[in-house]
Amino acid sequence: MNKNINLNKTMVNAAKCAVILMLATLAVAGRANAQTETNIVGQPAKPKWTGSAGLGFMLTDGNSDTMLFNVRVDAEKKWLKNELLVGASGSYGENDGDKNNEQARAYGQYNRTFGENDRWFGYGRIEGMYDAIADLDGRIAVGPGIGYYFIKKEKMLFSGETGPGVVFEKYNGEDWETYMTLRIAERFEYKINDRAKLWQMAEFMPDLADTDKYIINAEIGIETAITKARALRVSLQNSYNSKPSSGRERNDLKLIAGVTYKF
């Protein structure tokens, strides 16, 4: 009993530390954004948001097997040594009048580059998810970390990230569960030409107190411009939960095709 109490106290204290570190990182981001920065010729830098918003058609295999709609927005802003990434997506579907898909996800990440050629970066990240079909009432993952650009070119980016984190998770109306994790992630982007690009990402988040419990998220996709502001996008997403809610499958695979608007 005392061992469990000490473990719970340790997890709560670790969670508090992770949240404090996250808030401190975001505070640094806000301060950096508020400061006036200049470019090489001495003119005030004017960073702009770039990204895309789209509506897609989805085929799913796993906890739901049907057709549904998907909406997604991704945006980023870069200025000197700062990178801010945000995104959100949601899906909803029905089959013969019965709801068979209801999911939402959002994330935010701030990177501050340093070192030679700005290949290293420290980051703070927060991500939330809801999935009614998987009985997931909510999952919030938050934590700081460090990353490195193994490749950082105009047409190709390849980076790795790792850092501690804390996950708050709630299933099927039960109490919130809190556990510590170690996030290990990588991302690859390649501009095939001026009109097409390919991307791939994967992340692994194990429960540090239970090695049999872990989450894997992965995605690969391609986007091709059809006009200056519109593009066709096809992506394959996979989410794996080693210990899902009772009666639910571990793996969810989604194939999404749609049109995006670039800004």
Side-chain angles (χ1 to χ4, degrees):
M1 178 66 70
N2 292 333
K3 184 181 294 185
N4 291 334
I5 293 175
N6 291 333
L7 178 60
N8 290 334
K9 287 182 178 180
T10 300
M11 293 181 67
V12 170
N13 291 332
K16 290 180 180 179
C17 291
V19 172
I20 291 173
L21 286 171
M22 178 69 179
L23 293 175
T25 303
L26 293 177
V28 173
R31 184 178 179 182
N33 193 21
Q35 292 177 341
T36 302
E37 300 194 60
T38 58
N39 57 23
I40 297 177
V41 296
Q43 297 297 322
K46 296 181 179 180
K48 295 182 179 180
W49 285 100
T50 60
S52 63
L55 177 65
F57 178 74
M58 184 185 299
L59 297 175
T60 68
D61 179 24
N63 288 318
S64 56
D65 300 291
T66 187
M67 296 181 293
L68 49 86
F69 289 102
N70 170 272
V71 293
R72 176 170 176 168
V73 178
D74 292 289
E76 65 178 32
K77 182 167 67 170
K78 297 181 179 182
W79 67 105
L80 293 184
K81 294 181 176 294
N82 306 285
E83 301 173 342
L84 188 58
L85 314 171
V86 296
S89 64
S91 60
Y92 181 85
E94 293 184 356
N95 185 22
D96 295 328
D98 296 325
K99 180 175 66 176
N100 55 25
N101 196 289
E102 183 178 332
Q103 184 184 89
R105 184 194 299 264
Y107 71 91
Q109 180 169 327
Y110 167 74
N111 300 335
R112 178 73 176 185
T113 61
F114 62 91
E116 186 178 357
N117 299 322
D118 289 332
R119 286 183 175 268
W120 288 97
F121 60 91
Y123 73 84
R125 180 181 177 89
I126 183 169
E127 182 175 357
M129 182 179 179
Y130 160 78
D131 191 335
I133 305 304
D135 295 329
L136 178 63
D137 296 329
R139 179 189 296 133
I140 301 173
V142 58
I146 191 168
Y148 183 76
Y149 283 103
F150 298 97
I151 301 175
K152 192 174 185 181
K153 299 181 179 180
E154 182 178 355
K155 290 188 175 183
M156 184 181 297
L157 292 174
F158 177 52
S159 63
E161 301 175 0
T162 187
V166 58
V167 176
F168 307 92
E169 198 172 66
K170 182 178 181 180
Y171 276 100
N172 206 21
E174 299 179 356
D175 294 335
W176 283 91
E177 178 186 359
T178 303
Y179 60 90
M180 295 299 300
T181 186
L182 176 66
R183 179 175 179 267
I184 303 173
E186 57 84 21
R187 182 173 179 85
F188 174 77
E189 294 183 10
Y190 175 61
K191 292 183 179 180
I192 302 172
N193 51 45
D194 293 338
R195 301 178 62 86
K197 71 174 182 178
L198 172 74
W199 76 92
Q200 176 272 333
M201 64 78 62
E203 63 177 0
F204 172 63
M205 294 186 295
D207 184 341
L208 296 182
D210 182 359
T211 56
D212 292 330
K213 182 178 180 180
Y214 55 89
I215 297 169
I216 299 175
N217 295 313
E219 179 182 33
I220 186 170
I222 188 169
E223 182 178 282
T224 303
I226 52 178
T227 67
K228 186 176 181 180
R230 293 175 178 82
L232 293 175
R233 171 183 287 188
V234 179
S235 64
L236 182 65
Q237 300 176 356
N238 189 58
S239 296
Y240 183 87
N241 186 347
S242 66
K243 289 189 176 182
S245 179
S246 178
R248 300 302 181 183
E249 296 188 19
R250 297 178 179 178
N251 202 68
D252 269 324
L253 184 66
K254 300 179 178 71
L255 176 63
I256 308 170
V259 178
T260 63
Y261 174 79
K262 303 172 68 175
F263 57 88

